[in-house]
Amino acid sequence: MKWKMKAILFLFFCLNWAFLAVVAVGPPICSADLGGECSDAASDDWKGEFFPDIKKIKYEGPSSKNPLSYKWYNANEEILGKKMKDWLRFSVAFWHTFRGTGADPFGAPTKYWPWEDGTNSLAMAKRRMRANFEFINKLGVERWCFHDRDIAPDGKTLAEANANLDEVVALAKELQGTKIHPLWGTAQLFMHPRYMHGAATSSEVGVYAYAAAQVKKAMEVTHYLGGENYVFWGGREGYQSLLNTDMKRELDHLARFFQAAVDWKKKIGFNGTLLIEPKPQEPTKHQYDWDAATATSFLQKYGLTEEFKLNIECNHATLSGHSCFHELETARINGLLGNIDANTGDPQVGWDTDQFMTDIGEATLVMLSVVRNGGLAPGGFNFDAKLRRESTDVEDLFISHISGIDTMARGLRNAAKLIEYGSLDELVRKRYQSFDSEIGALIEAGKADFETLEKNAMEWGEPAVASGKQELAEMIFQSAL
Ligand code: XUL
Ligand code: CO
């Protein structure tokens, strides 16, 4: 036998053993995503708390060593004239927190939450929803985000899927109480094989119609739950090859789809903001919403800028070759900054790793943009972030969110310091002060023609060019961290 074959057989043998060991020793029950193979006795019969060992998370200040406490996020403390909780408007992403299994393209699920029975039944969906609200209440945030298909099982028909969704949403409404509601809802239009060519950009009219029906319903339930926004993320709104793609037609269809969503929003009286979440190549080679600038020009071309804003995700920003700060500022100066999916990528791993943000410098830049924007409301910060595959304790769900929340809170505190110091703003102001002149004013008012400018250039001779002071700017920035 050739060595390669031997190695393959050995690996197969080991994998089998690993599988048997799991079955014999037995993980607590089943992973969250085994499609109902583990148990058929799913019922919404969970007794007591889902997180009995975890108390409500409190602010204990920066010197606390308690991992289950906030060190920087003090919800009601005022910063720059607003409560921290009103600047930050945090939200828990249901899909990562309650449907994340730890599986990756090379490895099986690793998370076996005690409340999961391995099914995707309605009863399990309801039990999970109750875990979700205990989690949110203990964390002390007031918002959550969801896809239709992560909170309720799909159905054999659209009508059955809608009925499932209605049943889970009714429970969610009850569990939300008066304080909690969705930051945003969305339809999951990328997982099912019917969406392999896209949803609103599919070459199949039947798929376009199906996607429209799914979005219509998802908008209705978002509205019913008191959602503040509705998101579109084009999971497969792009193409792999231009040879078999009519790009112009697909973009036109997408715009018609968005217009129909605007019309439906108005018809049902939903006042939330519609958001587009840019993301580059992943999963298709060319995505139509590559980055903030691409999405902005799409909205401008089709006359949709009054109706839509952007949901900037930091990991998507870096995948598109920009920084999160760049994407936020691009959205902001175009009047389109609506919401943030607060996560981060890994500098060495080249895909959407959806990690919780822990870089204080990055968080400070993010918050600088948010403060310049006057906040994000009705948008906020959705933790589109998941535990690493190797983090498998229930308490890790809390620790990761606490860490993400504290990082953003620290960013806010630092941004406030920078604004109060004023020296960075002053540096930037000074850099452009030559435009605070008579001719500068004419240029900025669009009244300086080339002849006038040529006359000035002749008169002035060689222009003086001052230092850009980048290192000083960096020094000032660092001093606030
Ligand atoms: C995928 C992503 C999504 C959207 C919602 O990269 O970010 O989770 O936020 O569909
Ligand atoms: Co996202």
Side-chain angles (χ1 to χ4, degrees):
M1 207 177 329
K2 290 217 173 72
W3 70 268
K4 261 192 196 159
M5 189 57 126
K6 272 192 197 159
I8 288 169
L9 278 179
F10 178 68
L11 191 67
F12 187 67
F13 180 74
C14 292
L15 284 175
N16 263 326
W17 266 109
F19 178 71
L20 283 179
V22 167
V23 172
V25 181
I29 313 180
C30 280
S31 103
D33 199 23
L34 293 180
E37 282 160 26
C38 293
S39 156
D40 53 12
S43 64
D44 184 23
D45 58 356
W46 189 264
K47 297 275 180 299
E49 293 181 67
F50 292 85
F51 309 98
D53 300 332
I54 298 190
K55 310 247 166 328
K56 185 150 180 138
I57 310 300
K58 298 210 178 78
Y59 172 69
E60 293 183 4
S63 60
S64 170
K65 298 276 177 284
N66 175 8
L68 294 170
S69 74
Y70 294 120
K71 283 94 194 149
W72 303 93
Y73 179 59
N74 189 11
N76 289 312
E77 185 180 328
E78 274 207 13
I79 296 202
L80 296 173
K82 233 191 268 207
K83 288 184 177 164
M84 288 186 98
K85 68 173 188 175
D86 296 331
W87 280 118
L88 294 161
R89 299 167 57 82
F90 290 125
S91 153
V92 170
F94 187 92
W95 57 98
H96 284 313
T97 308
F98 289 97
R99 302 311 303 270
T101 65
D104 71 16
F106 303 97
T110 56
K111 299 183 206 314
Y112 298 94
W113 306 132
W115 55 87
E116 287 289 338
D117 66 7
T119 71
N120 192 20
S121 66
L122 249 182
M124 188 58 240
K126 290 187 191 170
R127 189 195 286 176
R128 217 178 267 129
M129 195 51 83
R130 293 197 286 117
N132 175 48
F133 284 103
E134 187 184 320
F135 181 78
I136 291 177
N137 275 304
K138 287 193 165 165
L139 210 55
V141 301
E142 293 172 358
R143 292 172 181 83
W144 63 300
C145 288
F146 65 93
H147 295 95
D148 50 0
R149 298 293 178 256
D150 33 76
I151 60 171
D154 205 345
K156 280 191 212 76
T157 61
L158 190 55
E160 191 182 307
N162 286 350
N164 289 344
L165 189 57
D166 282 338
E167 210 168 316
V168 179
V169 162
L171 175 68
K173 174 96 173 166
E174 197 184 307
L175 296 168
Q176 281 190 157
T178 49
K179 264 176 91 182
I180 302 173
H181 52 262
L183 176 64
W184 51 260
T186 186
Q188 214 263 46
L189 304 175
F190 43 89
M191 201 87 97
H192 195 282
R194 82 172 65 86
Y195 293 124
M196 70 179 183
H197 304 301
T201 58
S202 175
S203 39
E204 302 294 337
V205 73
V207 174
Y208 185 99
Y210 201 104
Q214 210 182 311
V215 167
K216 173 180 175 289
K217 181 71 183 173
M219 287 177 82
E220 287 162 17
V221 301
T222 303
H223 180 39
Y224 174 72
L225 289 168
E228 292 169 291
N229 305 271
Y230 183 89
V231 160
F232 293 87
W233 173 59
R236 297 188 176 274
E237 309 300 16
Y239 54 89
Q240 298 291 2
S241 166
L242 254 190
L243 292 175
N244 64 348
T245 300
D246 187 336
M247 195 167 154
K248 160 96 173 59
R249 210 163 175 189
E250 290 197 1
L251 281 162
D252 285 352
H253 292 174
L254 192 56
R256 302 293 170 257
F257 194 94
F258 285 143
Q259 187 54 54
V262 171
D263 296 344
W264 187 244
K265 167 188 146 159
K266 292 185 178 159
K267 196 151 186 182
I268 61 175
F270 175 51
N271 293 324
T273 310
L274 301 180
L275 297 160
I276 292 181
E277 182 177 326
K279 181 174 185 180
Q281 67 277 17
E282 199 185 45
T284 58
K285 187 162 143 183
H286 297 285
Q287 290 279 131
Y288 292 129
D289 53 355
W290 182 277
D291 62 1
T294 318
T296 300
S297 81
F298 169 85
L299 292 174
Q300 283 167 348
K301 174 176 177 201
Y302 290 101
L304 291 165
T305 45
E306 291 303 308
E307 307 291 351
F308 281 82
K309 287 199 166 164
L310 300 181
N311 179 34
I312 300 297
E313 175 163 331
C314 291
N315 201 166
H316 296 179
T318 45
L319 287 173
S320 69
H322 302 299
S323 65
C324 192
F325 189 40
H326 171 275
E327 289 298 86
L328 293 171
E329 288 292 275
T330 303
R332 183 181 73 77
I333 63 169
N334 284 298
L336 293 175
L337 178 54
N339 196 83
I340 297 179
D341 268 11
N343 63 9
T344 197
D346 182 290
Q348 278 81 45
V349 180
W351 73 78
D352 198 7
T353 55
D354 284 336
Q355 291 169 228
F356 283 84
M357 192 183 286
T358 53
D359 183 319
I360 313 298
E362 189 175 13
T364 304
L365 292 170
V366 168
M367 291 315 301
L368 210 49
S369 229
V370 171
V371 171
R372 286 175 183 167
N373 202 53
L376 290 171
F381 286 87
N382 167 46
F383 285 110
D384 196 357
K386 61 188 174 205
L387 290 178
R388 297 305 83 202
R389 184 164 186 264
E390 303 84 342
S391 301
T392 53
D393 291 341
V394 165
E395 70 160 18
D396 296 333
L397 288 171
F398 280 88
I399 291 171
S400 57
H401 281 83
I402 293 168
S403 169
I405 287 174
D406 264 345
T407 303
M408 300 320 302
R410 244 174 128 168
L412 173 60
R413 290 177 186 277
N414 293 342
K417 273 197 242 165
L418 275 173
I419 289 163
E420 276 154 16
Y421 296 166
S423 34
L424 194 57
D425 284 342
E426 183 55 14
L427 185 150
V428 175
R429 193 197 62 74
K430 268 195 179 156
R431 190 163 181 224
Y432 296 88
Q433 72 184 358
S434 67
F435 278 84
D436 300 339
S437 56
E438 207 180 316
I439 186 72
L442 275 185
I443 293 172
E444 291 186 347
K447 289 185 181 149
D449 59 26
F450 274 5
E451 279 172 312
T452 316
L453 292 167
E454 183 190 47
K455 195 165 152 281
N456 278 287
M458 297 279 196
E459 243 174 66
W460 290 342
E462 189 57 35
V465 181
S467 165
K469 296 273 177 231
Q470 184 177 329
E471 294 77 6
L472 179 58
E474 286 160 355
M475 186 186 279
I476 296 170
F477 180 75
Q478 294 295 331
S479 72
L481 300 189

